[in-house]
């Protein structure tokens, strides 16, 4: 049974990275034609505290920053972002676990700042439910300065609040690196 859980996590990780880096609408910034990864590499992965920078070179360069949060070996949250608008904004995808009230959406809050309006789920796949993200310059500045991105949704079966969080340690450096790699 444990082997099955490990296999499912590996498949999910490959699916998330593959989907997000290969489909521009879900993530993965494509750099200008001819731009290469450092040293002519075909892929790149770097860690910035709690954030991972990933790039692949195939029909253009695609780069993103991401983080996954686990509890008891099970994935709770995955987030992937790519810079947009000259690095002043960002788009991406949030993957949340099953069992949430989809109609309630998910509210995002940086540290103790006021929470934003709930964001809608777009669909659910085998690995979890997806929420498209679009961050403006003000929210990005909050993420850069913050310590924790708090996510609040509701449980589908009890309507109680379900708090989740994403560490922002290393976010600014990872975001800057992806921005530099995609110029």
């Amino acid at each position: 049974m444990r082997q099955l859980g490990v296999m499912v996590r590996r498949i999910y990780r490959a699916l998330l990275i593959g989907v997000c880096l290969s489909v521009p609408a879900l993530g993965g910034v494509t750099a200008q034609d001819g731009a290469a990864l450092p040293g002519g590499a075909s892929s790149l992965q770097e860690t910035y505290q709690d954030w991972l920078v990933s790039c692949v070179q195939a029909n253009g360069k695609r780069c993103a920053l991401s983080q996954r949060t686990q509890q008891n070996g099970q994935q709770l949250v995955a987030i992937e972002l790519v810079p947009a608008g000259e690095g002043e904004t960002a788009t991406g995808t949030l993957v949340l676990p099953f069992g949430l009230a989809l109609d309630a959406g998910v509210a995002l809050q940086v540290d103790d700042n006021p929470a934003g309006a709930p964001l809608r789920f777009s669909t659910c796949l085998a690995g979890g439910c997806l929420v498209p993200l679009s961050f403006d310059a003000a929210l990005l500045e909050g993420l850069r300065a913050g310590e924790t991105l708090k996510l609040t949704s509701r449980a589908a079966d009890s309507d109680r609040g379900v708090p989740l969080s994403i560490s922002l340690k290393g976010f600014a450096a990872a975001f800057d690196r992806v921005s530099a790699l995609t110029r």
Side-chain angles (χ1 to χ4, degrees):
M1 192 64 145
R2 186 170 195 275
Q3 283 182 324
L4 179 62
V6 170
M7 187 173 69
V8 168
R9 283 192 300 276
R10 285 182 184 156
I11 291 170
Y12 175 71
R13 184 177 349 189
L15 176 66
L16 178 66
I17 291 171
V19 167
C20 292
L21 288 177
S22 65
V23 181
L26 289 177
V29 172
T30 302
Q32 298 173 353
D33 292 337
L37 290 171
S42 61
S43 66
L44 172 125
Q45 281 196 354
E46 298 173 348
T47 302
Y48 294 83
Q49 291 180 304
D50 294 335
W51 288 84
L52 177 68
V53 169
S54 301
C55 294
V56 294
Q57 183 80 38
N59 299 326
K61 179 172 50 176
R62 299 182 191 280
C63 297
L65 63 148
S66 63
Q67 183 180 142
R68 285 181 258 303
T69 303
Q70 295 185 353
Q71 181 179 358
N72 300 326
Q74 298 295 318
Q75 180 163 306
L76 289 179
V77 177
I79 184 172
E80 183 169 283
L81 297 170
V82 295
E86 302 295 318
E88 296 173 9
T89 60
T91 59
T93 305
L94 182 63
V95 182
L96 296 173
F98 297 111
L100 299 176
L102 299 179
D103 287 342
V106 60
L108 281 62
Q109 175 183 6
V110 178
D111 296 330
D112 293 325
N113 295 317
L119 303 174
R120 296 181 52 88
F121 288 88
S122 63
T123 191
C124 293
L125 301 173
C129 296
L130 307 180
V131 177
L133 300 172
S134 181
F135 294 154
D136 62 17
L139 184 53
L140 270 180
E141 283 307 310
L143 294 172
R144 288 176 167 283
E147 293 181 18
T148 305
L149 176 61
K150 299 174 183 178
L151 315 169
T152 305
S153 191
R154 299 232 160 261
D157 61 351
S158 67
D159 201 41
R160 66 178 168 75
V162 177
L164 300 166
S165 65
I166 296 171
S167 168
L168 295 174
K169 290 180 187 171
F171 174 81
F175 190 85
D176 291 344
R177 179 64 168 153
V178 171
S179 294
L181 286 167
T182 56
R183 285 194 181 118

